[in-house]
């Protein structure tokens, strides 16, 4: 028998390219058919990483799940030729839209990182409710292991606005989930930068993801004229900043502000001014995150605008497809760089300066020759224009990059092979080298992750690295702070009975020979920085909102084994069937629930009884 | 002839459980041998009476009628929350508390500018300052729709919700619901109506010769134009948006055709469906909480200055409302000086944790031991166990605030009123 051809590895599905308010030259909603990994789907769509459960709490309805027909081993796109009205009115299209966009963003992360990316909650499948509630809101919740998208009425048109149909919103929320999977401590209360980072990077990924949709880019640039040309005037940095390409969530923004064409955010238009970052307005996380977006995307705009200057067809006109190609190539490099940089960031207390150093380091490792785009220099300049300096000085040739790890590390008590995957093995290395790594002794220390990765390099070879995150946690009562070396805030903001958690930690990057290449850290013993964070949290009312630390020992239900032993020892063998446990009792209430949405102040509280 | 001046002021605090109701009686020198007094009612509402109480708001209204001798000079309704105005509610039989109060024929009814019916969005031309005001009022109406939705939700989900969450949702929903008959009664019971904002002149001055009245809040969006500009999103529009969704039952109830609804809920969907519901309720609670704060911040803040003494009635104003008078108004420094000399403080929002801003409390210069003659008096109208929780440090009245008030002021709480008469009367010679 002849062997059949291998199954296709990808499949194409229709999505709404921006949101239902973006129309093409014929007045139709702009769509795209995107390529995502082929997989065997259950009704939902329910695949190996994403499970759509279309439960609508506002109307208490479960909407029917999308079931695909298969042909030649891949699913058939049921909406390939659907009308606009069908796309809007059929919840199953909305399900496909969120599924496909999430898979695409996930795929992009895995490509950039050279490995699978896990969700932070432990399970394999992220749950998604495309019509969770009737609110103008969308969010990621770790505790609920899912993404929630709301819908609402636009008072101007009385029509419904679905946040799950906005590419930017879906990509943004997906990025929250992915970043949380990579760096779970970035949702901890820390600094204005850390809270803002989650927002900023999610916007960056959402905006750059649009660039890979060729037809959409061409249409947006040319105004859907189909002439294959674009006016040079539209490609100046100033015009590009006004382009819909760099505006986020237009339909939601318009409906929420009651002003047509008003995007939810338009960060690239923020005027370059190094003073903004310390102004009161930019302390709010979303607003501050916009500075990160502005710094990164303005670098892209400069590069793109410069690259197309040689592409003139005739006076004042350029070839559209070449312009799009240049933009796509540059955006692709920037997106890869911004995702890879996450691996080179410290695991706790991320500052914008840390991220900038991580960006240029990650890029230098895999793309040493930057002579075509000058991306690294451009990024450093653009960040500086918004008042952000790299945390590491770097050297004359590569300013801003992290300094290489130095020290005589002992490998004698650890083994090469498990060092690439086994947290206990790496912990042993850290334990033996704790002095060399300048760790604080006598505090709780834990290896959070060990991630081997293989990244594609420009020279055709692959770059192998192992990325390790460890954290150190010190818990002190306020009166102990001063003796430990930290500055204690005013007792009115930090009463004596509120426990203070101080987090330190580092990222260790091992090269392919198992040698430590970089050690990126925010240490417990950086007393000034840690004191500044404690002061910031105190001033924002964080400690006042926490419960006083109880001196009483908390007695919780015993574990299974201790119970078994105790029962045997006490000769107690009463069975539940002998009791009234099964008798009709009043219904048990659903446990009260704290939403994980951007609630940076709840995480620690819930972890009160555990260190990690 | 010199302007007559009041010789004393009596303040009656009524036992209304969780709510507010105060009667201010200004005593003037005798005119033609007859005693002259001016009676002003500040709020009348309750969302819960003490468990042991046998009286209702009707009895309170009856008591007020007796205490003012059958005639009120003015009514002040600080803001639209039920626990401040539902006592003005009427019924068809004409024997409800509001009917009793209407018969006292106040010459003037004073409310915050946000209650001005002329601001109804369809009743005015959207121009200039009025446009901003109309947008705000429209926002308030939408807030009521949201509140109704919350109350509705609490009822619909019933036992599926944890008891505490359901109670909270129902309580906040009901408190924020527009009490139509009370609103209407306030609009019509007086000879004249006044809708005041920060710095406004008031007809109370004419009714109260020798008394200076300072309106310290609420500010209008026009006062706050600079601050409005700095905000990335317009709060009022936010309510409008939610209200539009809530008020549009057709679209909000069914975003899709019924044929797309699944008939059964498979096992694999149940855990997450429950989480979605929980998250949805959490969001509703957040919204209705924010809404509650917003409405509290429409409270009138009135300071009566008479005979060298100062009496402060701030309704349920929270820091956002206070900020203008204390920090952002051009007269902020003078306001602070004025407030520093406060002799009587009606504790904001039943003693909740955020309605006596520390900035304000620190300002009061006459804090001190209750035994000292010059120490200021503080009165709170409240009931424990109705709102907030001790474990979350949100109980009303908040224990830490009460402790401070007990230590540094002559403190009274209506919780001490256990039997008739249903009020506590305090006299201040002027």
């Amino acid at each position: 028998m002849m062997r059949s051809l291998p199954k296709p590895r990808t499949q194409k599905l229709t999505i709404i390219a921006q949101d239902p308010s973006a129309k093409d030259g014929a007045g139709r909603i702009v769509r795209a058919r995107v390529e995502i990994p082929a997989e065997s789907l259950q009704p939902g769509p329910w695949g190996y990483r994403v499970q759509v459960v279309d439960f609508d709490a506002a109307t208490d309805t479960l909407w029917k799940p999308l079931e695909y027909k298969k042909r030649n081993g891949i699913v058939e796109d049921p909406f390939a030729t659907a009308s606009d009205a069908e796309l809007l009115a059929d919840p199953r299209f909305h399900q496909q839209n969120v599924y496909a966009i999430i898979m695409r963003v996930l795929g992009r992360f895995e490509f950039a990182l050279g490995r699978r990316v896990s969700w932070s909650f432990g399970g394999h499948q992220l749950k998604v409710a495309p019509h969770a509630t009737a609110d103008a809101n969308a969010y990621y919740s770790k505790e609920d292991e899912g993404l929630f998208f709301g819908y609402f009425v636009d008072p101007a048109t009385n029509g419904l606005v679905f946040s799950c149909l906005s590419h930017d919103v879906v990509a943004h929320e997906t990025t929250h989930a992915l970043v949380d999977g990579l760096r779970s401590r970035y949702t901890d209360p820390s600094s204005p930068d850390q809270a803002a980072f989650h927002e900023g990077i999610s916007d960056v990924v959402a905006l750059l993801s649009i660039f890979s949709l060729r037809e959409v880019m061409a249409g947006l640039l040319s105004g859907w004229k189909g002439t294959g040309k674009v006016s040079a005037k539209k490609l100046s940095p100033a015009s590009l900043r006004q382009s819909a390409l760099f505006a986020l969530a237009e339909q939601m923004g318009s409906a929420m502000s009651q002003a047509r064409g008003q995007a939810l955010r338009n960060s690239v238009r923020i005027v370059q001014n190094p003073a903004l970052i310390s102004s009161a307005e930019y302390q709010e996380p979303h607003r501050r995150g916009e500075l990160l977006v502005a710094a990164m995307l303005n670098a892209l705009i400069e590069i793109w605008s410069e690259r197309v200057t040689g592409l003139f067809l005739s006076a004042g006109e350029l070839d559209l497809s070449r312009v799009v190609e240049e933009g796509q190539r540059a955006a692709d490099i920037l997106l890869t760089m911004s995702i890879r940089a996450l691996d080179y960031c410290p695991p706790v207390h991320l500052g914008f300066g840390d991220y900038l150093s991580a960006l240029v380091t990650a890029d230098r490792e895999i793309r040493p020759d930057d002579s075509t785009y000058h991306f690294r220099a451009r990024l450093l300049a653009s960040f500086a224009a918004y008042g952000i300096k790299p945390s590491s000085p770097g050297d004359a040739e590569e300013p801003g990059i992290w300094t290489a790890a130095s020290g005589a590390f002992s490998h004698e008590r650890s083994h090469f092979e498990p060092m690439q995957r086994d947290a206990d093995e790496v912990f042993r290395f850290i334990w033996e080298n704790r002095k060399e790594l300048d760790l604080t002794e006598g505090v709780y220390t834990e290896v959070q992750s060990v991630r081997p990765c293989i990244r594609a390099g420009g020279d055709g070879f692959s770059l192998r690295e192992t990325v390790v995150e460890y954290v150190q946690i010190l818990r002190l009562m306020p009166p102990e702070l001063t003796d430990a070396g930290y500055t204690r805030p005013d007792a009115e903001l930090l009463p004596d009975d509120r426990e203070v958690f101080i987090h330190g930690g580092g990222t260790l990057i091992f090269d392919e020979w198992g040698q430590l290449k970089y050690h990126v850290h925010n240490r417990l013993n950086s007393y000034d920085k840690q004191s500044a964070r404690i002061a910031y949290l105190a001033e924002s009312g964080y400690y006042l909102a926490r419960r006083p630390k109880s001196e009483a020992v908390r007695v919780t239900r015993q574990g299974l084994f201790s119970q078994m032993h105790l029962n045997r020892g006490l000769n107690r063998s009463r069975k539940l069937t002998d009791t009234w446990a099964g008798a009709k009792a009043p219904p048990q209430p659903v446990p009260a629930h704290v939403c994980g949405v951007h609630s940076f102040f709840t995480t620690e509280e819930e972890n009160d009884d555990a260190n990690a | 002839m010199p302007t007559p001046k009041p010789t004393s002021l009596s303040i009656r605090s009524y036992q209304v459980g969780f709510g507010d109701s105060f009667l201010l009686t200004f005593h003037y020198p005798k005119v033609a041998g007859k005693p002259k007094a001016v009676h002003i009612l500040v709020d009348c509402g309750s969302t819960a009476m003490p468990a042991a109480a046998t009286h209702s708001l009707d009895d309170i209204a009856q008591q007020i009628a007796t205490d003012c001798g059958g005639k009120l000079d003015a009514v002040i309704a600080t803001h639209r929350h039920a626990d401040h105005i539902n006592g003005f509610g009427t019924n068809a039989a004409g024997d409800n508390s509001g009917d009793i109060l209407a018969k006292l024929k106040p010459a003037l009814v004073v409310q915050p500018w946000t209650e001005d019916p002329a601001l109804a969005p369809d009743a005015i031309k959207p121009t200039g300052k009025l446009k901003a005001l109309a947008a705000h009022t429209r926002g308030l109406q939408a807030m009521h729709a949201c509140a109704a939705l919350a109350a509705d939700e609490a009822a619909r989900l019933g036992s599926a919700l944890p008891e505490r969450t359901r109670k909270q949702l129902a309580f906040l929903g009901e408190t924020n619901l527009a009490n139509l008959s009370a609103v209407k009664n306030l609009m019509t019971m007086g000879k004249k109506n006044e809708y005041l904002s920060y710095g406004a002149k008031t007809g109370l001055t004419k009714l109260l010769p020798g008394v200076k009245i300072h309106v310290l809040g609420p500010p209008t969006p026009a006062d706050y134009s600079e601050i409005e500009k700095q905000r990335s999103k317009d709060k009022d529009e936010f309510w409008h948006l939610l209200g539009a969704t809530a008020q549009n039952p057709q679209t909000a109830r069914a975003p899709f055709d019924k044929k797309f609804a699944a008939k059964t809920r498979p096992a694999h969907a149940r855990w997450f469906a429950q989480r979605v519901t929980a998250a949805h309720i959490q969001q509703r609670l957040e919204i209705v909480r924010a809404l509650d704060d917003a409405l509290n911040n429409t409270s009138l803040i009135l300071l009566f200055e008479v005979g060298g003494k100062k009496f402060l009635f701030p309704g349920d104003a929270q820091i956002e409302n206070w900020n203008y008078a204390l920090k952002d108004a051009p007269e902020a420094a003078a306001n602070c000086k004025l407030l520093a000399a406060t002799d009587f403080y009606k504790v904001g929002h039943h003693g909740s944790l955020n309605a006596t801003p520390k900035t304000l409390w620190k300002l009061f210069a006459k804090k001190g031991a209750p035994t000292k003659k010059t120490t200021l008096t503080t009165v709170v109208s409240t009931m424990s166990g109705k709102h907030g929780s001790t474990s979350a440090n949100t109980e009303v009245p908040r224990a830490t605030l009460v402790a401070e008030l007990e230590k540094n002021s002559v403190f009274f709480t209506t919780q001490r009123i256990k039997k008739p008469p249903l009020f506590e009367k305090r006299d201040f010679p002027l």
Side-chain angles (χ1 to χ4, degrees), chain B residues 103-178:
Chain B
K103 286 191 191 113
L104 306 177
K105 298 211 181 316
L108 179 66
V109 175
V110 182
Q111 288 175 271
W113 66 268
T114 47
E115 300 304 312
D116 190 345
L119 289 175
D122 46 358
I124 56 142
K125 281 184 211 140
T127 52
K129 188 175 171 183
L130 277 180
K131 186 178 173 182
L133 300 186
H136 188 102
T137 318
R138 198 179 50 169
L140 285 179
Q141 288 176 348
M143 283 160 65
H144 290 300
C146 297
L149 196 70
D152 214 42
E153 207 106 69
R156 174 168 74 85
L157 291 160
S159 62
L161 290 178
E163 184 63 5
R164 207 173 110 190
T165 312
R166 194 189 60 74
K167 269 192 177 162
Q168 229 178 340
L169 199 60
F171 172 75
L172 288 170
E174 283 157 19
T175 309
N176 287 285
L177 268 180

Side-chain angles (χ1 to χ4, degrees), chain B residues 289-308:
Chain B
R289 262 189 216 127
L291 187 157
D292 195 56
D293 286 348
L295 211 53
N296 279 336
N297 279 328
T298 66
S299 284
L300 271 175
I301 305 177
L302 295 178
L303 181 80
F304 297 86
E305 188 181 358
V306 53

Side-chain angles (χ1 to χ4, degrees), chain B residues 280-408:
Chain B
H280 167 71
I281 293 302
Q282 186 69 25
Q283 294 268 304
R284 281 274 180 273
L285 256 179
E286 288 301 324
I287 288 166
V288 87
R289 262 189 216 127
L291 187 157
D292 195 56
D293 286 348
L295 211 53
N296 279 336
N297 279 328
T298 66
S299 284
L300 271 175
I301 305 177
L302 295 178
L303 181 80
F304 297 86
E305 188 181 358
V306 53
K309 286 208 164 77
K310 294 177 186 71
F311 301 83
L312 180 59
F313 288 84
D316 285 352
Q318 298 177 1
I319 188 69
E320 293 79 7
N321 185 340
W322 271 113
N323 260 343
Y324 189 71
L326 296 178
K327 267 169 53 191
D328 302 314
E331 308 82 9
N335 291 338
C336 289
K337 207 175 148 200
L338 197 67
L339 286 160
T342 300
D343 297 281
F344 176 96
Y345 168 56
K346 193 294 290 188
V347 181
H349 200 210
H350 323 288
S352 83
L353 80 159
N354 51 12
T356 301
K358 282 199 171 161
T359 332
L360 178 72
W361 182 246
K362 280 185 191 146
L363 213 57
F364 292 154
K366 296 185 183 171
K367 293 192 294 277
T371 45
K372 244 171 65 186
K373 227 181 141 191
T374 50
T375 300
L376 92 155
T377 302
T378 57
V379 171
V380 62
S381 178
T382 193
M383 185 180 118
S384 303
K386 173 72 187 163
H387 198 27
S389 89
T390 314
S391 61
N393 291 339
T394 57
E395 78 281 6
V396 178
R398 173 86 179 108
T400 45
L401 174 63
V402 171
E404 173 67 17
L405 295 170
E406 277 174 339
K407 195 175 151 210
N408 279 316

Side-chain angles (χ1 to χ4, degrees), chain A residues 483-496:
Chain A
D483 281 348
Y486 306 101
T487 312
R488 194 212 149 129
D490 200 275
E492 214 168 275
L493 298 173
L494 175 56
D496 280 358

Side-chain angles (χ1 to χ4, degrees), chain A residues 82-103:
Chain A
S83 69
D84 282 2
E86 282 172 272
L87 295 190
L88 294 177
D90 191 338
R92 292 170 303 182
F93 170 70
H94 300 203
Q95 296 158 8
Q96 168 166 312
N97 196 64
V98 286
Y99 164 75
I101 295 172
I102 295 168
M103 287 303 288

